[in-house]
């Protein structure tokens, strides 16, 4: 804070100057004490600044490397991260980034086959071991970081170590019970181990935490392989949310499940109340837009989607809804604009802010292990 904040730095410097000037008017014995104190303070200051400059250098290199991945320049990102001396840092984010830079498009898992009991194949073992080493170092420094634990869980699955994988997912769940990615990962692992009932419980909790999972490839596959179980999970999620029906956010989530169950009237009543009480909830406006779209009222749906977009310009699902509206309207200029916005808005803004506030380092938000995890668990965005 002292070095990053220029105002604090200026006040600190002025304080030292004033103390130095005031000490000249003291008796000799007291002036010497003040002079020694100032010298000690300056030595501490210079010593701290030396370590700060090293840390700041690596923060800068990390963020420049992250920026390169945002524009798909992985080679430049590798060059920047290679200049970081891992022996001089103790940041879990840098080690996680070094792991994620090794992740390639072939690091995907066929989740559909995995749920049927087919173990994923291990390939390029040395590179996978390097990813595990860096991720483990990140997790050792920050043992309660759910993202690192989630990555470790899937890495262990790839190595065939299902006990450690379950341990990692359970640890992540204990740290952050609302993290639906870990719930889904744990559910998939349980399905693989043929524990269907336990898997349903985690799927229910995940959908209660984030009902838009019902628009994902994961849920689409789930309906195809076991539609009865999938609809049971949605009903269970609805029951979970209804226990907290006084919470305005929970009511908004409940509306999404009513929409999935084709109970549009109930959803509309809830959403009208939600936007009245909490008008800055962007997903509530998105759902109202969906209802208008289903009713063929494209003008009203466009207004709702634009409100949702103003409230969160980084929400890719809102951008996709606007893309679809202008696709129906055949407005090529708007269509091209929102297609470009979707291509540019790849990073997870929340994760970048979170990691910067907790660890001072931004994170490579759009990279995960497995490579297709975000695509599989997030609402589908398709251009056709």
């Amino acid at each position: 804070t002292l070095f990053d904040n220029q105002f604090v730095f200026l006040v600190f410097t002025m304080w030292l100057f004033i103390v130095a000037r005031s000490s000249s008017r003291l008796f000799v014995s007291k002036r010497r004490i003040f002079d020694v104190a100032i010298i000690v303070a300056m030595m501490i200051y210079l010593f701290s600044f030396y370590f700060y400059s090293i840390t700041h250098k690596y923060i800068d290199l990390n963020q420049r490397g992250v920026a390169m991945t945002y524009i798909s320049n992985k080679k430049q990102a590798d060059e920047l991260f290679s200049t970081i001396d891992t022996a001089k840092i103790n940041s879990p984010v840098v080690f996680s980034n070094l792991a994620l830079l090794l992740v390639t498009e072939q690091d995907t898992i066929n989740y559909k086959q995995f749920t049927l009991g087919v173990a994923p194949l291990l390939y390029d073992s040395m590179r996978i071991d390097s990813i595990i080493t860096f991720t483990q170092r990140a997790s050792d420094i920050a043992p309660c970081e759910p993202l690192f634990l989630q990555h470790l869980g899937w890495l262990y699955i790839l190595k065939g170590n299902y006990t450690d994988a379950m341990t990692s997912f359970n640890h992540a769940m204990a740290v952050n019970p609302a993290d639906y990615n870990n719930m889904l990962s744990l559910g998939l692992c349980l399905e693989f181990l043929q524990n269907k009932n336990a898997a349903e419980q985690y799927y229910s909790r995940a959908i209660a935490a984030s009902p838009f999972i019902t628009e994902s490839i994961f849920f689409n596959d789930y309906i195809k392989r076991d539609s009865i179980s999938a609809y049971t999970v949605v009903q269970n999620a609805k029951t979970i949310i209804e226990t907290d029906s006084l919470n305005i956010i929970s009511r908004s989530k409940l509306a999404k499940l009513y929409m999935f169950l084709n109970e549009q009237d109930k959803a509309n009543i809830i959403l009208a109340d939600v936007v009245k009480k909490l008008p800055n909830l962007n997903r509530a406006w998105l759902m109202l837009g969906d209802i208008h779209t289903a009713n063929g009222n494209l003008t009203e749906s466009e207004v709702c989607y634009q409100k949702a977009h103003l409230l969160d310009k980084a929400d890719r699902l809102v951008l996709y809804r606007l893309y679809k509206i202008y696709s129906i309207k055949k407005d090529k200029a708007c269509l091209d604009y929102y297609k470009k916005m979707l291509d540019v808005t790849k990073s997870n803004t929340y994760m970048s802010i979170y990691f910067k506030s907790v660890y001072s380092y931004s994170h490579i938000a759009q990279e995960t292990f497995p490579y297709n995890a975000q695509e599989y668990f997030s609402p589908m965005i398709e251009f056709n």
Side-chain angles (χ1 to χ4, degrees):
T1 302
L2 181 64
F3 302 121
D4 284 332
N5 190 316
Q6 294 178 356
F7 175 76
V8 175
F9 175 76
L10 179 63
V11 171
F12 176 74
T13 307
M14 289 175 64
W15 176 79
L16 282 178
F17 177 75
I18 291 168
V19 170
R21 289 294 300 272
S22 63
S23 69
S24 64
R25 293 192 292 271
L26 297 173
F27 294 110
V28 174
S29 59
K30 290 187 176 181
R31 189 167 68 241
R32 284 175 181 171
I33 294 172
F34 270 94
D35 288 346
V36 170
I38 290 169
I39 290 168
V40 170
M42 290 302 297
M43 287 176 66
I44 293 171
Y45 171 82
L46 292 171
F47 190 67
S48 301
F49 186 80
Y50 169 74
F51 284 103
Y52 164 80
S53 63
I54 294 173
T55 304
H56 190 269
K57 172 188 173 184
Y58 292 138
I59 289 174
D60 181 59
L61 285 170
N62 179 77
Q63 295 190 358
R64 282 163 59 197
V66 169
M68 290 298 103
T69 65
Y70 288 166
I71 58 174
S72 301
N73 191 341
K74 208 163 185 179
K75 183 179 179 182
Q76 184 67 31
D78 285 332
E79 290 175 1
L80 287 166
F81 276 100
S82 66
T83 61
I84 295 177
D85 185 354
T86 55
K88 291 184 178 180
I89 61 166
N90 197 35
S91 169
V93 176
V94 172
F95 288 114
S96 178
N97 287 343
L98 287 166
L100 293 173
L101 281 170
L102 296 173
V103 176
T104 67
E105 292 183 17
Q106 71 177 10
D107 295 324
T108 58
I109 286 181
N110 188 328
Y111 295 101
K112 188 183 296 186
Q113 293 294 316
F114 182 67
T115 55
L116 298 175
V118 180
L121 295 175
L122 178 63
Y123 47 86
D124 201 351
S125 182
M126 288 182 64
R127 184 172 58 82
I128 296 298
D129 287 342
S130 297
I131 296 172
I132 291 174
T133 299
F134 283 128
T135 307
Q136 188 63 64
R137 288 193 68 179
S139 189
D140 289 342
I141 299 167
C144 293
E145 181 51 59
L147 185 65
F148 304 157
L149 293 167
Q150 182 190 334
H151 288 165
L152 275 175
W154 283 108
L155 285 160
Y156 288 139
I157 286 172
L158 197 60
K159 295 284 283 186
N161 190 342
Y162 302 105
T163 302
D164 284 346
M166 296 280 283
T167 301
S168 292
F169 293 142
N170 277 310
H171 187 184
M173 284 276 295
V175 174
N176 185 4
D179 189 336
Y180 64 86
N181 284 309
N182 276 303
M183 295 180 206
L184 294 175
S185 297
L186 196 50
L188 287 167
C189 197
L190 287 164
E191 263 202 275
F192 171 80
L193 297 172
Q194 298 183 350
N195 193 341
K196 178 182 172 181
N197 292 334
E200 282 185 2
Q201 292 178 22
Y202 285 107
Y203 293 154
S204 300
R205 289 171 60 184
I207 291 171
S210 180
F212 279 87
I213 291 171
T214 54
E215 296 186 25
S216 66
I217 301 171
F218 154 77
F219 201 76
N220 189 47
D221 285 348
Y222 193 18
I223 290 174
K224 287 178 180 177
R225 72 175 176 269
D226 193 342
S227 60
I228 295 173
S229 180
Y231 278 90
T232 299
V233 160
V234 172
Q235 291 290 351
N236 292 343
K238 188 160 75 74
T239 302
I240 293 170
I241 295 172
E242 285 172 341
T243 59
D244 190 26
S245 59
L246 295 178
N247 185 307
I248 198 74
I249 304 295
S250 295
R251 288 180 60 76
S252 176
K253 292 178 179 180
L254 188 60
K256 177 60 181 173
L257 295 184
Y258 277 132
M259 290 170 67
F260 176 81
L261 296 168
N262 292 320
E263 299 182 44
Q264 307 290 348
D265 292 339
K266 289 183 179 180
N268 202 11
I269 292 168
I270 290 173
L271 290 169
D273 181 59
V274 168
V275 296
K276 183 179 179 181
K277 293 178 179 176
L278 192 63
N280 63 337
L281 193 62
N282 82 306
R283 284 290 173 95
W285 287 109
L286 182 148
M287 286 185 279
L288 278 173
D290 288 346
I291 291 173
H292 287 304
T293 301
N295 293 332
N297 192 343
L298 297 185
T299 302
E300 286 298 320
S301 62
E302 182 185 351
V303 171
C304 291
Y305 293 149
Q306 288 290 3
K307 286 181 179 179
H309 179 53
L310 285 170
L311 291 167
D312 187 354
K313 292 185 179 295
D315 190 333
R316 299 188 79 236
L317 195 56
V318 175
L319 291 170
Y320 181 55
R321 294 290 202 272
L322 284 165
Y323 172 86
K324 288 175 72 176
I325 281 289
Y326 293 119
S327 178
I328 295 168
K329 289 187 170 185
K330 302 189 186 302
D331 187 331
K332 189 175 185 307
C334 289
L335 197 63
D336 290 343
Y337 172 77
Y338 286 106
K339 173 67 165 63
K340 184 178 179 181
M341 287 288 288
L342 278 162
D343 289 338
V344 171
T345 314
K346 292 180 179 179
S347 63
N348 187 323
T349 308
Y350 165 75
M351 290 304 290
S352 295
I353 294 169
Y354 165 75
F355 274 91
K356 187 165 186 178
S357 64
V358 176
Y359 303 108
S360 297
Y361 287 74
S362 294
H363 194 66
I364 302 177
Q366 74 265 37
E367 300 288 354
T368 58
F369 188 91
Y371 186 83
N372 59 332
Q374 283 189 354
E375 179 187 359
Y376 192 71
F377 295 143
S378 301
M380 286 185 282
I381 292 178
E382 298 175 319
F383 302 106
N384 49 43

